[in-house]
Amino acid sequence: MTDPVEQAARALAGNPARAEQQARALIVRNPADPRVRLILASALRRLDRAAEALPLLADLAKAWPRAARTRYEYGLCLCAAGQARDGAAQLDEAVRLDPDLADAWQAMADMAFADGDPLRERRALAALARIGAGHPELGRAAELVALGRHREAEPLLRRWLMARPRDAAAARLLAQCYVAFRAFDNAETLLRHALAVDPASSGARFDLAHALFARQQAADALKELAPLLAADPRNPAWRNLQAGCLALLGDDIGAEAIHAELAAAFPANARIAINHGHALRTTGERERAIAAYRHAATLCPQAGEAWWSLANLKVGALTDADEAAMRGLLAGNLPDAERMHLEYALGRRCEDAGRAGDAFARYAAGAALARRHFGGAGRDWAAQAQATADLFTPAFLAARKGWGAQSDAPIFVVGLPRSGSTLVEQILASHPDIEGTMELPYIGALAGRIEAAGGADALAAATPEQVRAWGEEYLERAAVHRRLGRKWFIDKMPNNFRHIGLIRLILPHARIVDVRRHPMASGFSCYKQLFAEGQEFSYDLADLAAYYRHYLAIVRHFGKAAPGTVHNLIYEDLVDHTEAEVRRLLAAVGAGFDPACLRFFANDRAVRTVSSEQVRQPIYRSGLDQWRAFESFLAPLAAGLGPEREGWRA
């Protein structure tokens, strides 16, 4: 015969009213049984009557102070009754009494997410990972992954999987390590293996979608997200990733709508407010973006990204009061990531105020943290430029003339970051026959695959069919970004200058525009910019100089090896002689002149780069010589440039 207490407990999830009725009857029969009073309290909470449950739970907690389950229910009821601080304290006590009480940890994680407390949320998620692993050794590795300590977790997980290759949970954890290391191929292989072993694992499917998004394969990521969203359409993690994918595919309105919904659902979460601010900035809603960033900074003053996002609008959004607040934060204890963002933000504020020495000190402090965070470049740029020249000789290119996909649709805008490429993109995208997309990752990803397959040897051995297939693959991937049906489209990935030879090979009719700026100006502009990722060379002045020389060497090589391949546009000339340079630019890409290109600032297209606010106003000269106020601090850049400081135009 079924135990009536167990029967009442089982009714809680599906029919709390019935559970209440049964619990009250049991209390009449046995008022001393604490189990039925706890069931009654839980039923009342589930029926939105938490206040009625509180006296019951207070008595239970007093009578049985070491009962973790009672503390857990007491914490939930206090939170439901609007006493969140006391509720959180009860949850803390519950997990202290029983470190394996998963329900309490989950409640703590949910509360921390809603409150925008990432440290508390991470602690709870780490405990849940440990508990869910089911084995102490695997649990330790799972905890390390949740805490972001992937280097420590990776060898533990490899050893575990060597002995248990069909452990889907361990494969998923190791894949998370590989995503952190940006070893996306390894991560995808492991996650697909995990799903083959356990097709119903929503966690593995979400991780696969995230890995695909991280390698900027947004369409593929959305396919993996689709069944998750169908089953749980309100899940904030699913929705946030969906918004990121839509933004990558150019659906900025759809992405902003999702971020707005999340911001409304979780108004106390600073991370969600920052994401919403980014989406608003992309769509040109500057004032609403500022409001979102300020809301985030109010919710979590130490959220460095909120402050940097305000500074990075480059419209003087920071005030004297903001500067005082940032200085106060920097005087205290902060995680390196938050300190890094705040140093850059305060540097921008000091620069706007005309205090060059103070500004540079802040930029230098931020750059040192960024170099540690992202890793130093540590590459021999001169050797890489020479390797490019050695491979793509005139004879090599002539022997492969006519290979590749025959489309003339792509226009590649290349150069150093912060050299005016966003402005050139905006000018071109204002032409009725040219569509602006974004900084597409597909050439770089293809180059990485070829490098992994043998690099120069793989390219030299490629057949005409293989080369054409690479070009068609690029066009197919880029097609999802072409939403306007125009004749040409722009790929504005600046670092594609490193792949001019590959572009020339697989897309022989593509246009390539090199946007070049004074090396001291572009170098300093890079140095004071905190990039999201992928520009590790920019956090050291000597490395910046080497990278600029590397860039010049490659572009100049193709000017000799394949004359006419690249159209060189000097940013300073574009500023001083706008119409003449715009006419030259349009002629170089094969488009006729259109006056709309001179009114590029009226174009309301989404702009995703850090120059988004600058290209929404007419060209101005004030930024050309900003670096001169900092010249005394830029000696390593000047020395590293050598003769190219003056000879960069050649």
Side-chain angles (χ1 to χ4, degrees):
M1 186 175 179
T2 305
D3 181 350
V5 176
E6 291 181 7
Q7 196 174 35
R10 282 201 300 270
L12 279 172
N15 192 342
R18 182 174 178 79
E20 179 194 3
Q21 183 183 30
Q22 292 174 332
R24 289 191 185 280
L26 289 167
I27 288 173
V28 171
R29 290 163 51 185
N30 187 4
D33 189 342
R35 297 175 300 164
V36 293
R37 283 186 281 167
L38 185 60
I39 292 170
L40 175 58
S42 184
L44 291 170
R45 172 178 61 80
R46 295 163 195 262
L47 292 166
D48 296 326
R49 292 155 55 195
E52 294 179 45
L54 290 177
L56 282 169
L57 291 163
D59 289 344
L60 285 171
K62 184 176 180 179
W64 286 273
R66 297 189 59 77
R69 179 64 63 172
T70 295
R71 298 284 186 171
Y72 159 68
E73 189 61 52
Y74 198 7
L76 292 185
C77 283
L78 284 165
C79 292
Q83 301 175 50
R85 183 178 300 228
D86 292 339
Q90 290 297 328
L91 290 174
D92 283 340
E93 182 63 11
V95 297
R96 187 189 70 80
L97 292 167
D98 182 0
D100 292 332
L101 185 55
D103 287 345
W105 285 115
Q106 186 62 61
M108 189 184 298
D110 292 342
M111 186 186 303
F113 177 80
D115 292 343
D117 187 342
L119 295 179
R120 185 175 173 83
E121 182 186 9
R122 176 169 279 193
R123 172 181 168 235
L125 292 175
L128 287 167
R130 172 182 55 78
I131 295 164
H135 187 284
E137 185 180 345
L138 185 59
R140 175 56 178 159
E143 188 174 40
L144 289 170
V145 170
L147 292 171
R149 293 160 60 182
H150 300 95
R151 296 287 177 193
E152 296 173 62
E154 190 259 353
L156 302 178
L157 290 164
R158 277 194 292 106
R159 283 200 301 270
W160 181 273
L161 278 167
M162 287 283 288
R164 305 164 187 83
R166 289 186 59 78
D167 189 327
R172 180 189 170 203
L173 289 167
L174 184 55
Q176 291 178 22
C177 294
Y178 286 138
V179 169
F181 305 154
R182 305 191 65 77
F184 298 124
D185 287 343
N186 292 348
E188 183 176 350
T189 298
L190 280 167
L191 289 166
R192 293 199 184 279
H193 169 69
L195 285 169
V197 174
D198 182 8
S201 173
S202 59
R205 193 164 301 281
F206 174 71
D207 284 355
L208 176 58
H210 181 264
L212 292 167
F213 169 76
R215 69 193 309 175
Q216 299 190 299
Q217 295 180 3
D220 295 334
L222 284 174
K223 290 176 185 175
E224 299 298 336
L225 272 177
L228 301 179
L229 288 165
D232 187 4
R234 297 180 65 82
N235 184 296
W238 298 182
R239 294 283 279 159
N240 186 63
L241 184 55
Q242 181 189 25
C245 290
L246 292 178
L248 268 185
L249 294 173
D251 184 1
D252 300 291
I253 294 174
E256 191 278 320
I258 293 173
H259 284 303
E261 290 173 15
L262 289 171
F266 300 97
N269 189 305
R271 176 71 261 167
I272 286 176
I274 291 169
N275 287 344
H276 190 209
H278 294 341
L280 289 166
R281 172 181 177 156
T282 297
T283 57
E285 298 190 59
R286 183 178 68 191
E287 296 307 316
R288 290 182 63 201
I290 290 173
Y293 294 142
R294 287 207 170 278
H295 178 55
T298 300
L299 291 171
C300 184
Q302 68 269 30
E305 189 176 351
W307 294 103
W308 169 241
S309 297
L310 283 168
N312 204 27
L313 285 165
K314 302 179 177 68
V315 291
L318 294 173
T319 66
D320 289 346
D322 294 330
E323 180 177 340
M326 289 189 289
R327 289 187 183 277
L329 289 165
L330 285 166
N333 292 320
L334 287 170
D336 279 356
E338 310 304 339
R339 183 173 296 278
M340 174 179 71
H341 283 91
L342 278 162
E343 292 285 11
Y344 276 99
L346 184 54
R348 183 66 50 78
R349 167 63 187 169
C350 293
E351 182 179 359
D352 289 345
R355 302 193 300 272
D358 197 359
F360 190 84
R362 296 298 177 177
Y363 290 144
L369 289 166
R371 197 164 177 81
R372 189 157 70 237
H373 179 78
F374 293 111
R379 298 185 185 179
D380 188 339
W381 298 116
Q384 289 195 20
Q386 187 59 53
T388 297
D390 291 343
L391 174 62
F392 292 103
T393 63
F396 180 93
L397 294 168
R400 291 159 179 77
K401 185 176 182 181
W403 290 19
Q406 298 304 300
S407 172
D408 70 347
I411 300 171
F412 292 90
V413 177
V414 304
L416 248 66
R418 312 294 301 127
S419 290
S421 56
T422 302
L423 172 61
V424 171
E425 177 195 36
Q426 186 80 342
I427 290 169
L428 288 170
S430 299
H431 193 284
D433 290 331
I434 304 174
E435 179 173 2
T437 59
M438 58 188 293
E439 295 181 354
L440 302 180
Y442 308 123
I443 291 293
L446 176 59
R449 274 174 31 214
I450 294 170
E451 183 63 30
D457 291 338
L459 266 178
T463 64
E465 292 74 22
Q466 178 63 74
V467 170
R468 186 184 315 111
W470 286 333
E472 296 293 350
E473 177 190 332
Y474 170 83
L475 293 169
E476 182 180 352
R477 290 192 176 279
V480 298
H481 302 275
R482 301 183 65 184
R483 311 174 80 85
L484 303 180
R486 294 181 178 178
K487 181 177 180 180
W488 296 297
F489 71 94
I490 307 162
D491 180 341
K492 196 201 76 68
M493 179 64 78
N495 293 325
N496 275 342
F497 76 82
R498 295 167 57 191
H499 310 303
I500 289 174
L502 178 61
I503 294 169
R504 175 76 175 178
L505 191 63
I506 69 172
L507 295 161
H509 303 295
R511 278 76 166 183
I512 304 174
V513 178
D514 160 42
V515 183
R516 192 176 308 178
R517 187 180 177 192
H518 192 296
M520 296 296 288
S522 61
F524 176 58
S525 191
C526 283
Y527 184 71
K528 67 178 183 175
Q529 181 67 45
L530 177 57
F531 294 96
E533 62 177 358
Q535 311 294 353
E536 293 85 356
F537 63 87
S538 67
Y539 304 115
D540 178 86
L541 291 173
D543 209 24
L544 260 165
Y547 193 78
Y548 192 95
R549 296 198 316 271
H550 160 72
Y551 148 68
L552 285 183
I554 289 177
V555 176
R556 286 171 176 167
H557 168 74
F558 285 100
K560 296 175 182 177
T565 293
V566 181
H567 172 70
N568 303 112
L569 186 153
I570 303 298
Y571 174 71
E572 286 79 359
D573 292 346
L574 179 63
V575 172
D576 289 337
H577 311 290
T578 303
E579 182 170 345
E581 290 300 320
V582 168
R583 286 181 179 276
R584 286 184 65 243
L585 172 65
L586 292 172
V589 301
F593 176 74
D594 192 290
C597 295
L598 298 177
R599 292 188 54 77
F600 60 87
F601 47 86
N603 189 336
D604 63 357
R605 61 181 285 270
V607 181
R608 298 171 180 81
T609 70
V610 295
S611 302
S612 58
E613 298 310 306
Q614 293 164 301
V615 300
R616 291 185 173 119
Q617 53 188 304
I619 285 178
Y620 53 90
R621 298 195 81 262
S622 58
L624 291 181
D625 293 323
Q626 283 179 338
W627 66 273
R628 295 193 183 278
F630 295 84
E631 188 168 7
S632 61
F633 307 106
L634 300 176
L637 175 61
L641 287 167
E644 300 299 359
R645 176 175 177 176
E646 303 301 329
W648 61 278
R649 280 178 172 263

